[in-house]
């Protein structure tokens, strides 16, 4: 056995570290390009970008901009899923963050009893801290009490929206506070501000995950939590941090969402966004079983979802019909990632290859 | 129903009609691997037939071919004189070939009766007749002298009982051939004895039993015959009495089995400093009043039965369990070890007993598995750079002779022995002074066992204090300078250099007066 | 019990041992029943409290009690299917959408296409079952996690609704109206309608299937340990696909009941119903980890859910969001309790 394995050493395998990630991202990238190509085919003006008042406008910018909330949620969700978890609460926390921010700005919430408007920075801070704490609570339930992630986060998925409605009194609270509108509608360097926020969140999470050992710990916990613990990793801390990040991301996305419509819509804000976020992560190549995660793939996944929705709007049908196409695209991508397809591809490939190179887990 | 007690004579005839299962010329290829090469295997009525070989020798593949998990490429399987081609485990089961695996393959949430009958419950019309089903279950278990409440869920019983239930199920399904794949690895001595009683009884009733285990002693205790495989080829079939242990191992490994003979302990010196000492340490529900010392350049063996406190002691030293009383003294100062990280910071390392569950992170690469503990000690912000990671991984792959194409191979895809080496490498990377090895040779093949033991001794020579926990007394005797005897969650004695032999340890474990 | 031992070879001994075991059981009910029992207790406690608080406003009237069922029968039917799914260790996110598709199909085909309404009812059930079947195939054959494959089903069903029509369609078909309005009058101005009867039928079906058929026991085995179930020779593929087909059927039927309830078909019906159903099932004592759960527990889960609604409507000043908060708190309570029980059971096992 040992001799065989050494023989199997062939120069192609020694290209280190690059291969797995890039091959994972390849299929979602392909799907994204196919959708974009399809759009260009339908609408030649799809790629065109015009400059009005120094702001860039165009379909592509629009897709990017609209994908921002889901993208931010999905960034946090990627880490959660990598620990073999799921965060169902992020859509509700998004609504909660928006509701908090708007009612604090207005200073007339039914519950919060704040008569005067708060300083803007405090508003932002409070919203983000509250959703992060909710995330921490999810993490606590999962890590310390050992409750399954779906159930643990189901609690805030249900109650979070209830609390948001409690804060707004189930009214659509509007605000016209200028600085707040910048978050969701502002422009910077000719591009919408949300894009910069999304990029900032993504880079921060990426840096934290890939330039520190955190990502390694997350993956270790996701693959085998017990072994990670035996290796000296504080598994429950890792899990709690991950859910807190997800809560924070939901908070940021909520601010953008609310600022975009200048309104706290506790009932509909971010409805089903958690599902889109999970989908984006899975489309991006991260397995729901946990382990390896691909932040870049997640962004592509979010873009796929938005590009798809967008291209269906081009037809004159109810926006919800887009769901059917979405269903088929997901089936397609999921099929590509399925073990059945992979083993099929493997067997095709190994037939071409000379026998003798694969020898593992036999006997 | 299945067995007709006494209808078959257990005598060993070479008559044709005694042959129950005969596989001849079995060929099995996987992409790139020739797993079985013209293998023959013959099982007779009323015999316990051990199937031996190193990991990767083809034992499991052969079993899987016989039970229909894999199809065969060439060859024939004859069962009671008729050609068969099992298509699935279920099909094999219907034909009369049942198998019980190492991990109990039952459903913990179902009742005992259901576990015996699920999928074949007795019905009245379209509905299950619970009363009759449970009654049958009770009758079946009664044959094994098991009188347990069949309506309780399976997970309220111990692993040993569960294993018996699994066997009961396998037998009731049909079996004339029973394949037991590593059935004893999670059982203690008493439970093994009970299992062997059952096996002997079944044998006397004319059943053919195929037995696979890593424990050589058990092979000699229970088997009538032995078939040895090596690298997918048949080495031969032998009667137990014509094959001494050393010959068996030689045939399995395929070379003179002198490697283990080379393993000899490092001489202890009086002036070796005490690295870590336990002073009357107790931990809630796990150990009581344990005092011991680990010295530099010394291997201390831990002997005792499963649950005697040997693993639990290691858990306490590694911070997995907290001591409720007593003190742990590290290089002269009392320390509090509240978590594995604390222990790692104190330069303690621990290779856990259940490698698959607590050691191997299968989907991560060999490199990542190696750096993990070091990284955990350094915390997330002192990230070991990729380049350093590769250097470190390559160094240990070289040093420990880990057979892997490269450092990016998933650990889960390596063999057991190599996985164990990677986990050892994980700990060596943290440059430990105390190394706790819990069953480091379990479930790996003989050659790798010798390697692991040699490594242990090398590390000891370099100055490490090592605790060597094992069920294999032979190994303990080979490597240890002294042996701590554990029984009933506490230390009952300590054996020293001159008195070290298996008999003495056995006597001490069995509860003769503490030495 | 004692007479069942007659055939045993040494019945005397076994009998004695059995009696001891029996006596022990008297003291310790299997821990896994506790969540379901707690749900039942909680319902009665809540009912009692409601009686104390709002007794003067008719909380204890039979009409209030029957309306628990008449208002939520559609949830209950879906919960029966969901119980199976969750016991098998899966999850079904598609129930709300499949039910909505059912209402849409019925409304569109009878009103716009003028098709035979009883035929359409059957067709709607068939479509729902088929969607469930497809999801089962996706899970089984392509190893897509249930969460994702039923999410796909959710998208598909919801999208199909809007492809059929984006409008809300009122059902005027006389036969359907008659079915929806049919009721058995009970005293105190209360009644039971067809939905409640169908719910009861489905509940009985659920209980019988899960307790007394090989398929049902297979579901438990599957949820307990999938690998073992396979090695024990259970037809796991058939079971898996069967589970989701059954759940699809239940969802479709749930849509039919909802159509009876509202006399309309609309793509936006029953948004988020899946989470109400899952919550109810979990509150009813089914473990999301699979292997443990009872349709009757889910019945009480639904009853608790609807009694919260009753509290809010009787109070008058409480707003609807309190439902969500209350459900969240209850979920927390039940989940922590389940967790605790698993923990205790684990420790107990550790000792033996």
């Amino acid at each position: 056995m040992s001799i065989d394995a050494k023989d199997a050493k062939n120069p192609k395998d020694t290209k280190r570290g690059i291969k797995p990630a890039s091959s994972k991202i390849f299929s979602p990238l392909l799907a994204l390009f196919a959708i974009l190509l399809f759009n260009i085919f339908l609408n030649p003006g799809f790629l065109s970008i015009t400059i009005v008042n120094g702001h860039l406008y165009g379909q592509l910018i629009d897709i990017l901009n609209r994908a921002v909330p889901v993208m931010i949620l999905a960034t946090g969700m990627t880490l959660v899923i990598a620990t073999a978890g799921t965060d169902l609460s992020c859509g509700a926390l998004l609504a909660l963050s928006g509701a908090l921010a708007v009612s604090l700005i207005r200073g007339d919430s039914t519950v919060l009893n704040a008569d005067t408007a708060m300083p803007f920075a405090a508003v932002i801070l409070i919203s983000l801290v509250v959703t992060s704490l909710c995330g921490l609570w999810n993490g606590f339930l999962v890590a310390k009490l050992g409750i399954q992630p779906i159930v643990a986060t189901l609690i805030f998925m249900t109650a979070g929206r209830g609390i948001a409605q409690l804060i707004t009194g189930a009214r659509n609270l509007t605000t016209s506070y200028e600085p707040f509108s910048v978050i969701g509608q502002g422009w910077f360097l000719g591009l919408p501000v949300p894009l910069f926020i999304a990029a900032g969140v993504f880079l921060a999470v990426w840096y934290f995950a890939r330039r520190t050992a955190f990502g390694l710990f997350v993956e270790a916990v996701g693959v085998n939590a017990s072994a990670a613990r035996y290796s000296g990793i504080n598994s429950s801390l890792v899990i709690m941090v991950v859910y807190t990040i997800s809560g924070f991301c939901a908070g940021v996305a909520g601010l953008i969402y609310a600022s975009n419509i200048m309104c706290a819509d506790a009932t509909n804000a971010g409805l089903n966004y958690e599902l889109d976020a999970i989908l984006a992560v899975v489309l991006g190549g991260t397995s729901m079983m946990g382990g390896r995660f691909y932040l870049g793939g997640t962004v592509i996944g979010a873009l796929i979802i938005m590009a798809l929705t967008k291209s269906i709007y081009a037809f004159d049908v109810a926006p919800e019909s887009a769901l059917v196409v979405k269903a088929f695209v997901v089936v397609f991508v999921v099929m590509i990632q399925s073990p059945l397809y992979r083993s099929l591809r493997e067997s095709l490939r190994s037939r071409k290859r000379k026998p003798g190179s694969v020898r593992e887990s036999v006997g | 129903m299945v067995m007709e007690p006494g209808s078959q004579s257990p005598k060993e005839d070479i008559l044709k009609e005694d042959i129950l299962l005969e596989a001849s010329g079995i060929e099995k290829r996987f992409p790139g691997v020739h797993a079985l090469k013209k293998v023959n295997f013959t099982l007779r009525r009323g015999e316990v037939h051990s199937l031996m070989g190193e990991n990767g020798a083809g034992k499991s593949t052969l079993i899987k071919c016989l039970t229909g998990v894999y199809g065969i490429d060439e060859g024939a399987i004859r069962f009671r004189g008729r050609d068969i081609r099992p298509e699935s485990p279920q099909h094999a089961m219907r034909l009369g070939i049942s198998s019980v695996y190492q991990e109990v393959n039952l459903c913990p949430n179902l009742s005992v009766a259901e576990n015996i009958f699920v999928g074949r419950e007795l019905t009245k019309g379209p509905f299950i007749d619970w009363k009759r089903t449970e009654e049958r279950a009770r009758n079946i278990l009664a044959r094994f002298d098991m009188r347990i409440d069949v309506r309780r869920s399976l997970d309220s019983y111990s692993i040993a009982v569960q294993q018996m239930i699994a066997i009961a199920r396998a037998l009731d399904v049909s079996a004339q051939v029973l394949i037991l794949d590593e059935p004893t690895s999670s059982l203690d001595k008493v439970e093994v004895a009970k299992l062997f009683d059952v096996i002997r009884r079944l044998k006397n009733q004319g059943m053919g039993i195929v037995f696979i285990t890593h424990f050589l002693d058990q092979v000699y205790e229970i088997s009538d015959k032995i078939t040895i495989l090596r690298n997918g080829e048949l080495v031969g079939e032998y009667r137990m009495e014509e094959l001494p242990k050393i010959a068996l191992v030689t045939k399995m490994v395929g070379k003179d089995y002198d490697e283990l003979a080379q393993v000899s302990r490092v001489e202890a010196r009086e002036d070796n400093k005490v690295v870590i000492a336990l002073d009357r340490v107790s931990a809630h529900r796990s150990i009581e009043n344990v005092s011991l010392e680990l010295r530099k350049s010394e291997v201390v063996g831990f002997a005792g039965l499963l649950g005697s406190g040997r693993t639990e002691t290691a858990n306490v030293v590694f911070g997995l369990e907290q001591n409720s009383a007593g003190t742990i003294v590290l290089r002269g100062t009392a320390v509090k070890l509240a978590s594995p990280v604390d222990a790692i910071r104190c330069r303690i390392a621990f290779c856990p007993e259940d490698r698959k569950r607590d050691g191997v992170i299968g989907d991560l690469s060999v490199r990542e598995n190696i750096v993990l503990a070091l990284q955990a000690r350094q915390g997330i912000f002192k990230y070991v750079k990729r380049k350093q990671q590769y250097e470190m991984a390559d160094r240990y792959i070289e040093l420990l002779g880990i057979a892997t194409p490269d450092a990016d191979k998933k650990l889960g895809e390596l063999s057991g022995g190599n996985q164990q080496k990677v986990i050892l490498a994980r700990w060596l990377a943290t440059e430990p002074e105390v190394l706790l090895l819990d069953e480091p040779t379990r479930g790996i093949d003989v050659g790798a066992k010798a390697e692991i033991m040699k490594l242990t001794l090398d590390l000891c020579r370099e100055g490490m204090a090592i605790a060597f926990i094992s069920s294999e007394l032979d190994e303990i005797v080979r490597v240890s300078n002294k042996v701590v005897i554990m029984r009933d969650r506490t230390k009952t004695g300590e054996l020293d250099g001159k008195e070290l032999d298996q008999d003495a340890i056995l006597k001490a474990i069995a509860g003769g007066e503490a030495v | 019990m004692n007479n069942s031992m007659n055939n045993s070879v040494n019945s005397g001994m076994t009998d004695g041992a059995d009696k001891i075991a029996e006596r022990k059981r008297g003291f310790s009910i299997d821990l896994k029943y506790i969540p379901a029992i707690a749900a039942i207790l909680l319902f009665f406690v809540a009912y009692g409290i409601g009686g104390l608080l709002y007794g003067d406003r008719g909380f204890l009237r039979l009409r209030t009690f029957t309306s628990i069922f008449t208002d939520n029968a559609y949830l209950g039917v879906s919960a029966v299917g969901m119980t199976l799914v969750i016991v098998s260790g899966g999850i079904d996110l598609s129930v709300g959408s499949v039910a909505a598709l059912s209402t849409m199909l019925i409304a569109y085909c009878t009103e716009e296409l003028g098709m035979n309404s009883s035929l359409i009812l059957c067709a709607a059930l068939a479509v729902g079952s088929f969607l469930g079947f497809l999801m089962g195939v996706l899970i089984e054959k392509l190893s897509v996690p249930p969460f994702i494959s039923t999410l796909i089903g959710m998208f598909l069903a919801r999208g199909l609704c809007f492809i059929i029509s984006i409008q809300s369609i009122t059902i005027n078909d006389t036969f359907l109206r008659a079915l929806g309005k049919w009721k058995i009058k009970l005293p105190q101005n209360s009644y039971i309608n067809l939905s409640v009867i169908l719910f009861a039928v489905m509940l009985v079906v659920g209980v019988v299937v899960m307790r007394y058929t090989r398929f049902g026991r297979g579901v438990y085995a599957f949820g307990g340990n999938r690998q073992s179930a396979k090695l024990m020779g259970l037809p796991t593929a058939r079971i898996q696909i069967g589970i989701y087909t059954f759940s699809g059927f239940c969802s479709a039927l749930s849509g039919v009941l909802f159509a009876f309830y509202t006399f309309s078909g609309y793509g936006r019906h029953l948004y988020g119903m899946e989470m109400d159903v899952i919550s109810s099932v979990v509150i009813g004592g089914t473990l999301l980890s699979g292997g443990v759960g009872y349709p009757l527990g889910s019945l009480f889960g639904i009853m608790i859910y609807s009694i919260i609604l009753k509290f809010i409507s009787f109070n008058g000043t409480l707003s609807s969001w309190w439902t969500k908060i209350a459900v969240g708190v209850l979920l927390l309570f039940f989940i922590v309790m389940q967790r605790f029980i698993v923990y205790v059971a684990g420790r107990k096992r550790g000792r033996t």
Side-chain angles (χ1 to χ4, degrees), chain A residues 95-328:
Chain A
L96 176 59
S97 149
L100 263 175
V102 174
S103 55
L104 286 174
I105 288 170
R106 287 167 57 105
D108 66 345
S109 164
T110 43
V111 247
L112 296 173
N113 276 332
D115 286 335
T116 48
M118 290 186 145
F120 186 51
V123 169
I124 301 294
L125 198 70
I126 289 175
S127 305
L128 295 181
V129 166
V130 167
T131 54
S132 302
L133 285 177
C134 294
L136 179 63
W137 169 256
N138 287 333
F140 170 78
L141 291 181
V142 174
K144 294 289 180 190
L145 299 191
I147 292 169
Q148 281 165 290
I150 291 187
V151 198
T153 55
L154 183 61
I155 295 170
F156 257 120
M157 183 190 187
T158 317
R161 207 168 278 284
I163 297 169
Q165 287 171 335
L166 178 71
I167 291 171
T168 61
R171 294 163 298 161
N172 283 352
L173 292 183
T174 56
T175 175
S176 52
Y177 184 60
E178 265 309 311
F180 186 57
S181 73
V182 173
I183 297 175
Q185 302 172 28
W187 294 84
F188 183 67
L189 295 176
L191 289 170
V193 168
L195 285 186
F196 290 97
I197 299 177
V201 170
F202 176 81
L203 283 177
V205 171
W206 178 83
Y207 187 87
F208 186 49
R210 292 304 185 200
R211 282 294 166 264
T212 73
F214 189 70
L216 176 64
F217 290 0
V218 166
E219 289 179 341
V221 169
V223 177
N224 186 341
S226 171
R229 193 166 92 92
Y230 273 79
S231 307
I233 295 171
N234 190 339
S235 304
S236 50
L237 184 65
V238 168
I239 289 173
M240 288 201 285
V241 169
V242 152
Y243 281 90
T244 310
I245 292 176
S246 180
F248 176 83
C249 288
V252 176
L255 292 178
I256 295 175
Y257 191 101
S259 158
N260 211 318
I261 54 175
M262 289 308 272
C263 168
D265 180 358
T267 318
N268 295 314
L271 200 60
N272 287 343
Y273 272 32
E274 59 279 346
L275 301 179
D276 274 349
I278 292 168
L279 203 57
V281 175
V282 174
L283 290 181
T286 305
S287 159
M288 283 198 77
M289 309 297 289
R292 290 270 182 238
F293 63 89
Y294 307 93
L295 283 168
T298 296
V299 171
I300 295 169
L303 288 177
I304 290 178
I305 294 172
M306 194 37 72
L308 204 63
T309 318
K310 185 80 187 161
S311 48
I312 289 155
Y313 287 165
F315 298 95
D316 204 14
V317 291
E320 287 91 344
S321 325
L323 290 169
V324 174
V325 183
K326 203 152 134 187
F328 282 109

Side-chain angles (χ1 to χ4, degrees), chain B residues 55 89 274 318 320 335 424:
Chain B
N55 284 349
V274 175
F318 195 60
L320 287 158
V335 286
L424 208 53

Side-chain angles (χ1 to χ4, degrees), chain C residues 134-156:
Chain C
L134 285 184
M135 289 181 258
V137 169
L138 210 55
I139 296 167
E140 178 60 35
K141 301 294 175 195
L142 292 179
S143 340
V144 179
F147 192 92
I148 296 294
S149 49
T150 57
L151 185 63
I152 292 170
M154 171 188 184
F155 288 159
L156 186 66

Side-chain angles (χ1 to χ4, degrees), chain B residues 263-313:
Chain B
V263 175
S264 59
R265 63 183 84 119
V266 179
E267 280 312 311
R269 290 211 310 269
E270 283 300 305
D271 57 344
N272 283 339
K273 276 205 197 95
V274 175
V275 183
I276 191 164
L278 271 60
D279 185 21
R280 282 161 294 162
V281 169
S282 299
H284 189 54
R285 289 173 156 282
S286 102
I287 51 170
E288 277 159 44
N289 210 14
V290 173
S291 302
L292 52 88
E293 287 177 346
L294 298 182
R295 288 166 190 272
K296 201 167 150 55
S297 298
E298 225 178 67
V299 179
V300 175
F302 279 70
L305 301 177
L306 206 67
S308 61
R310 41 176 222 215
T311 298
E312 290 79 355
T313 307

Side-chain angles (χ1 to χ4, degrees), chain C residues 63-337:
Chain C
R63 192 185 160 90
T64 312
F65 188 74
T66 52
S67 69
I68 286 178
F69 301 99
T70 49
D71 293 348
N72 296 292
Y74 69 95
L75 277 183
V77 167
S78 177
V80 173
M82 186 69 86
T83 308
L84 247 79
V85 171
I86 295 183
V87 165
S88 81
I91 197 157
D92 189 350
L93 297 178
S94 72
V95 293
S97 308
V98 172
L101 179 62
S102 209
T103 68
M104 197 68 202
L105 274 175
I106 293 167
Y108 185 79
C109 291
T110 52
E111 300 308 317
E112 307 283 320
L113 302 180
M115 289 165 74
N116 180 306
S117 44
S118 44
L119 199 72
I120 288 308
L121 287 182
C122 297
L125 295 179
V127 168
S129 312
F130 182 66
L131 280 174
F133 172 79
L134 285 184
M135 289 181 258
V137 169
L138 210 55
I139 296 167
E140 178 60 35
K141 301 294 175 195
L142 292 179
S143 340
V144 179
F147 192 92
I148 296 294
S149 49
T150 57
L151 185 63
I152 292 170
M154 171 188 184
F155 288 159
L156 186 66
R158 192 66 76 179
L160 283 176
C161 288
F162 288 97
I163 284 183
I164 295 172
S165 168
I166 46 175
Q167 250 86 50
S168 168
I169 302 169
T170 310
I171 297 172
N172 291 313
D173 182 271
T174 44
F175 176 63
L176 291 178
R177 286 231 155 212
L179 281 182
K181 287 193 169 146
W182 179 86
K183 56 188 71 161
I184 299 174
K185 290 222 164 57
L186 294 175
Q188 293 184 354
N189 205 13
S190 56
Y191 62 88
I192 283 174
N193 59 12
L194 187 62
S195 298
V196 177
I197 292 172
L198 284 174
F199 175 31
V201 168
M202 286 311 288
L203 199 63
V204 171
V205 168
V207 169
V208 170
V209 163
M210 296 205 71
R211 177 84 189 125
Y212 292 102
T213 67
R214 287 183 178 174
F215 170 73
R217 301 320 290 175
V219 174
Y220 281 102
F222 192 84
N225 187 334
R226 169 171 319 199
Q227 207 57 40
S228 299
K230 205 163 189 168
L231 284 169
M232 287 161 102
L234 293 177
T236 47
R238 279 220 306 270
I239 290 174
Q240 173 103 282
I241 294 172
I243 290 165
Y244 286 90
T245 310
F246 182 74
S247 178
F249 174 83
C250 288
S251 310
L253 183 60
S254 157
V256 170
L257 301 194
F258 195 73
F260 286 164
Y261 189 58
T262 58
F263 293 121
S264 70
Y266 188 29
R268 287 206 171 79
H269 272 333
L270 299 167
Y271 247 124
M273 166 183 151
E274 51 277 352
M275 288 306 159
D276 292 339
V277 175
I278 293 171
S279 309
S280 304
V281 170
V282 170
I283 289 175
T286 301
L287 294 186
L288 259 142
S289 45
V292 179
Y294 313 93
L296 276 178
S298 299
L299 165 69
F300 280 89
I302 293 285
M303 285 162 76
I304 289 171
Y305 176 79
S306 53
I307 212 157
I308 296 170
L309 295 177
K310 291 276 170 251
F311 264 93
I312 281 156
S313 72
F314 269 86
N315 179 290
T317 59
L318 286 176
S319 313
S320 64
W321 55 81
W322 283 107
T323 319
K324 288 180 180 149
I325 297 176
V327 170
V329 170
L330 278 180
L331 266 178
L332 177 64
F333 172 73
F334 275 87
I335 288 162
V336 171
M337 178 179 67

Side-chain angles (χ1 to χ4, degrees), chain B residues 102-297:
Chain B
Q102 177 176 7
E103 294 94 18
V104 180
N105 278 295
L106 296 174
C107 293
N109 58 326
L110 300 185
S111 72
V112 172
E114 271 191 278
N115 268 296
I116 297 175
F117 281 103
V118 72
R120 344 169 266 123
E121 293 96 341
L122 304 176
T123 51
K124 208 189 271 167
F127 302 119
I128 295 171
D129 185 342
W130 282 115
K131 223 172 146 186
R132 271 172 58 219
T133 303
E134 282 162 8
E135 191 186 311
R136 278 275 295 276
R138 243 174 252 123
N139 290 346
I140 289 164
L141 290 176
R143 295 199 192 137
F144 294 94
D145 289 326
M146 290 173 73
R147 294 178 213 293
I148 55 178
D149 183 355
V150 296
R151 291 163 72 175
R152 280 194 89 89
S153 60
L154 184 77
D155 58 7
S156 51
Y157 294 103
S158 71
I159 297 287
V161 173
Q162 294 186 20
Q163 193 107 43
M164 292 293 193
I165 293 168
I167 293 172
R169 176 186 164 89
L171 295 177
D172 185 62
V173 170
S174 60
Q176 308 199 23
V177 172
L178 178 64
I179 299 172
L180 298 169
D181 189 356
E182 294 276 2
T184 54
S185 54
S186 49
L187 304 189
D188 66 25
K189 274 237 151 61
V190 182
E191 292 165 339
V192 169
K194 201 162 175 200
L195 175 69
F196 282 3
D197 271 353
V198 172
I199 292 180
R200 282 192 197 101
R201 206 167 342 150
L202 295 172
K203 170 179 135 176
N204 290 334
Q205 287 164 353
M207 248 173 81
I209 293 151
V210 181
F211 184 62
I212 299 176
T213 185
H214 271 103
F215 300 107
L216 296 185
D217 291 340
Q218 293 179 0
V219 172
Y220 280 89
E221 189 181 340
I222 193 81
S223 320
D224 302 307
K225 279 226 187 95
I226 184 164
T227 289
I228 301 172
L229 297 179
R230 188 172 67 233
N231 288 332
E233 279 175 280
L234 179 70
V235 175
E237 190 195 273
Y238 307 90
R239 282 167 179 255
M240 233 40 251
E241 54 272 19
E242 66 187 33
L243 192 72
K245 227 183 214 176
I246 204 80
L248 165 64
V249 174
T250 309
K251 285 186 165 41
M252 279 166 65
V253 185
K255 51 190 163 186
D256 282 338
Y257 186 58
D258 55 1
E259 290 193 35
L260 264 190
Q262 288 171 19
V263 175
S264 59
R265 63 183 84 119
V266 179
E267 280 312 311
R269 290 211 310 269
E270 283 300 305
D271 57 344
N272 283 339
K273 276 205 197 95
V274 175
V275 183
I276 191 164
L278 271 60
D279 185 21
R280 282 161 294 162
V281 169
S282 299
H284 189 54
R285 289 173 156 282
S286 102
I287 51 170
E288 277 159 44
N289 210 14
V290 173
S291 302
L292 52 88
E293 287 177 346
L294 298 182
R295 288 166 190 272
K296 201 167 150 55
S297 298

